[in-house]
């Protein structure tokens, strides 16, 4: 397991997906600004701003989908390897977090498509559960299963390869001492 297990380098993941996330937030902020300024005008039309916000969310969903695709490619590449328990936990936590963010983004898109007087945006319980609680869960999972702690307790690939070589040499030595 390592950089060869993924189609992108770690640096490319950071560059591509952080850029996409920031860009989607900027698009949503521009839409929010347009909608807000239109709402303060007499007979102002908030639809262009709202549509821009939805476009930002759709772009975010598309980039999350591409990230999930690469994540599954990575998991497929390492499926034949025995993962330490802590890495299995980290993979499950990441999957859980991505699902929470994905569901929340779908909720936000539907909420805004209904407009500023829509059912979802005018009933706070949906916001609390489908926005707030999902984001708390998406982030909170990493407070319980902290990636820093989980990764620190994982042997480095070189260390595990060295240990395997030592174990093989030890077995060979034990086998040759039994033969004599």
């Amino acid at each position: 397991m390592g950089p060869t297990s993924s189609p992108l380098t770690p640096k490319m993941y950071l560059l591509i997906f952080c850029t996409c996330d920031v860009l989607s937030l900027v698009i949503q902020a521009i839409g929010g600004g347009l909608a807000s300024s239109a709402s303060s005008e007499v007979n102002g039309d908030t639809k262009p701003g709202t549509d821009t916000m939805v476009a930002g969310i759709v772009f975010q969903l598309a980039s999350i989908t591409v990230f999930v695709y690469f994540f599954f490619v990575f998991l497929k590449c390492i499926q034949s390897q025995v993962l330490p328990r802590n890495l299995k936990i980290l993979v499950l936590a990441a999957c859980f977090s991505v699902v929470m963010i994905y569901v929340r983004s779908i909720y936000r898109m539907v909420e805004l498509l209904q407009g500023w007087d829509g059912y979802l945006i005018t009933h706070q319980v949906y916001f609390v559960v489908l926005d707030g609680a999902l984001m708390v869960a998406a982030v909170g999972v990493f407070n319980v299963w902290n990636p820093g702690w989980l990764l620190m307790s994982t042997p480095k690939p070189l260390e595990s390869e060295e240990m395997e070589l030592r174990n093989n040499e030890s077995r060979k030595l034990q086998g040759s001492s039994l033969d004599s």
Side-chain angles (χ1 to χ4, degrees):
M1 180 170 58
T4 58
S5 303
S6 177
L8 298 176
T9 65
K11 189 178 262 188
M12 288 304 294
Y13 277 102
L14 179 68
L15 181 68
I16 292 169
F17 295 108
C18 282
T19 300
C20 286
D21 203 38
V22 168
L23 186 57
S24 73
L25 292 174
V26 168
I27 293 168
Q28 290 174 60
I30 290 169
L34 291 171
S36 177
S37 64
S39 71
S40 63
E41 296 174 7
V42 177
N43 296 326
D45 185 10
T46 59
K47 186 161 175 39
T50 303
D51 290 345
T52 303
M53 290 174 71
V54 170
I57 293 171
V58 169
F59 179 73
Q60 188 175 39
L61 278 168
S63 65
I64 292 170
T65 302
V66 172
F67 174 80
V68 167
Y69 167 77
F70 283 122
F71 187 56
F72 281 123
V73 168
F74 170 74
L75 292 177
K76 182 102 172 110
C77 287
I78 65 167
Q79 77 180 7
S80 63
Q81 299 176 24
V82 178
L83 289 180
R85 182 176 182 272
N86 54 336
L87 285 185
K88 287 179 185 175
I89 291 170
L90 186 57
V91 166
L92 290 174
C95 289
F96 175 80
S97 183
V98 167
V99 168
M100 295 297 103
I101 293 168
Y102 212 83
V103 170
R104 184 255 187 179
S105 296
I106 292 169
Y107 156 74
R108 292 285 293 146
M109 181 179 64
V110 172
E111 176 191 46
L112 288 173
L113 285 172
Q114 290 180 351
W116 296 101
D117 297 322
Y119 186 81
L120 290 176
I121 209 165
T122 58
H123 291 80
Q124 186 176 10
V125 68
Y126 294 105
F127 174 77
V128 170
V129 173
L130 295 172
D131 195 334
L134 291 180
M135 291 310 295
V136 167
V139 174
V141 70
F142 295 114
N143 286 322
V144 176
W145 292 287
N146 187 301
W149 298 335
L150 292 170
L151 291 173
M152 277 193 299
S153 61
T154 303
K156 304 270 187 286
L158 186 58
E159 290 174 2
S160 59
E161 287 174 17
E162 286 176 4
M163 287 181 68
E164 191 174 322
L165 285 172
R166 287 181 190 154
N167 288 339
N168 288 341
E169 287 175 13
S170 176
R171 284 188 204 113
K172 286 179 188 175
L173 289 173
Q174 286 175 352
S176 64
S177 66
L178 291 176
D179 292 340
S180 13

